[in-house]
Amino acid sequence: MPGAIPPFAFVEGALDRAEFMRSDAARLDGLWPQARLLRLDADGRALAGPDGSAPDDLGAAYPGLRPEAVLLGVESGRAWFAAVDASVGAATARVDLRTAAADWPVREATAFAQARAVLHWRARHRHCGACGQPLRFERAGWLGRCDACAIEHYPRTDPAVIVAVSDGARLLLGRQAGWPPRRYSTLAGFVEPGETLEQTVMREVFEESAVRVRRCRYLASQPWPFPSSLMLGFVAEAEPDEPRPSDAELEDARWFTREEVGAALRGETRDSGLLLSPRLSISRWLVERWHAGESA
């Protein structure tokens, strides 16, 4: 499916990020009154319509948020901004990102994911990591500058691999202790300094399950702002080792047959058997690709 948009969340409908206008304060001020504005609370939830629907707030209604607002991008000449709004009361409807991915229009959900990630970075990087002095934000919120030591700080994204591991006939899945009963997912882990993505796949799979990966192949990626990851999806071929899950990582890891995975994908295991990750995640898509015959 070359060129096709994968059917998981936070990819389709992305805005033009309009890098060229981030330093043009006068132009941004002119776009603000009619701009779409996504307001988030301090916990990263969107302030939504009364029924939880995607908001259609205009910048003109919130002049006090303009100084701290971050430019998300433009669509058909209209700017989109995001800002944390701490002034609203407890009665205001709030929607978390996973709910928005399921219920909101695609463009709004994708913009919400972008907003959540960059505002999380802003909230936790108010001071310079080198000298401790306050940062001054420029470029429409995408650059934190330290006037004391002249270091520039940019939003952080943490790369992580997520991988559908097969021994040729079966699929390796694991579960964490806090997940719903019978829920299993593909294995994942963060890239470490000085490590290639392929090395990360081999290390993480072995650390979490003691299964040895022979080869792997990259398929697709998904922004995962929980809070700031980029999931890099792989399919891998491994030895038919007996899984031995790491106590620190997984409660259980096991091989599932193609028939078991197929039944779960068709929704035939709601009362018993394997439960998979929801469709919003690249994990579910990787399982679907493996079941359709994708291999390393």
Side-chain angles (χ1 to χ4, degrees):
M1 37 180 247
I5 297 176
F8 42 78
F10 315 137
V11 177
E12 189 176 0
L15 299 168
D16 174 356
R17 300 207 171 198
E19 169 72 19
F20 63 92
M21 70 169 62
R22 288 181 181 173
S23 296
D24 192 340
R27 185 172 184 178
L28 296 178
D29 285 342
L31 291 170
W32 174 261
Q34 295 303 313
R36 286 286 299 271
L37 176 61
L38 293 178
R39 296 179 299 138
L40 275 62
D41 66 13
D43 295 322
R45 297 171 297 177
L47 305 176
D51 58 352
S53 60
D56 193 17
D57 293 331
L58 296 180
Y62 302 94
L65 298 181
R66 173 68 187 95
E68 290 294 313
V70 175
L71 176 68
L72 299 179
V74 296
E75 176 203 6
S76 301
R78 187 184 191 189
W80 289 53
F81 288 86
V84 174
D85 189 348
S87 66
V88 295
T92 303
R94 291 164 165 81
V95 172
D96 65 83
L97 185 52
R98 286 182 171 86
T99 300
D103 297 341
W104 284 13
V106 169
R107 187 178 302 280
E108 281 77 359
T110 298
F112 181 8
Q114 179 189 357
R116 190 182 191 280
V118 69
L119 291 177
H120 179 273
W121 169 74
R122 283 277 303 263
R124 285 156 179 78
H125 292 81
R126 291 291 183 180
H127 294 82
C128 177
C131 72
Q133 294 301 304
L135 296 180
R136 175 171 52 85
F137 288 98
E138 301 176 353
R139 297 190 58 74
W142 290 89
L143 167 64
R145 186 181 302 280
C146 179
D147 293 325
C149 66
I151 291 180
E152 296 180 346
H153 299 262
Y154 293 89
R156 172 176 174 171
T157 296
D158 300 317
V161 300
I162 183 165
V163 53
V165 180
S166 175
D167 66 355
R170 301 173 298 174
L171 183 67
L172 178 67
L173 300 174
R175 63 168 279 108
Q176 296 180 11
W179 289 356
R182 301 183 287 113
R183 169 68 57 79
Y184 283 77
S185 180
T186 49
L187 274 57
F190 288 104
V191 181
E192 293 187 349
E195 191 173 51
T196 68
L197 299 179
E198 294 80 4
Q199 289 168 345
T200 305
V201 169
M202 295 179 181
R203 176 184 55 78
E204 282 289 344
V205 172
F206 188 78
E207 286 180 356
E208 294 189 1
S209 69
V211 170
R212 296 166 294 166
V213 168
R214 291 198 295 252
R215 61 183 61 88
C216 61
R217 181 165 63 88
Y218 170 79
L219 295 184
S221 62
Q222 180 187 30
W224 195 247
F226 299 103
S228 56
S229 300
L230 175 65
M231 306 303 294
L232 303 158
F234 283 79
V235 61
E237 178 184 323
E239 302 289 349
D241 299 323
E242 184 64 27
R244 299 192 306 274
S246 166
D247 292 340
E249 300 285 345
L250 297 176
E251 177 187 71
D252 188 26
R254 66 177 70 172
W255 295 107
F256 290 88
T257 66
R258 192 172 297 275
E259 291 73 21
E260 289 174 312
V261 172
L265 289 173
R266 294 189 297 271
E268 297 172 0
T269 58
R270 292 174 183 169
D271 298 323
S272 63
L274 172 65
L275 294 179
L276 296 170
S277 300
R279 293 187 180 276
L280 72 90
S281 71
I282 191 174
S283 175
R284 173 66 170 254
W285 181 80
L286 289 171
V287 173
E288 292 172 348
R289 296 309 305 160
W290 173 80
H291 189 260
E294 198 84 58
S295 71

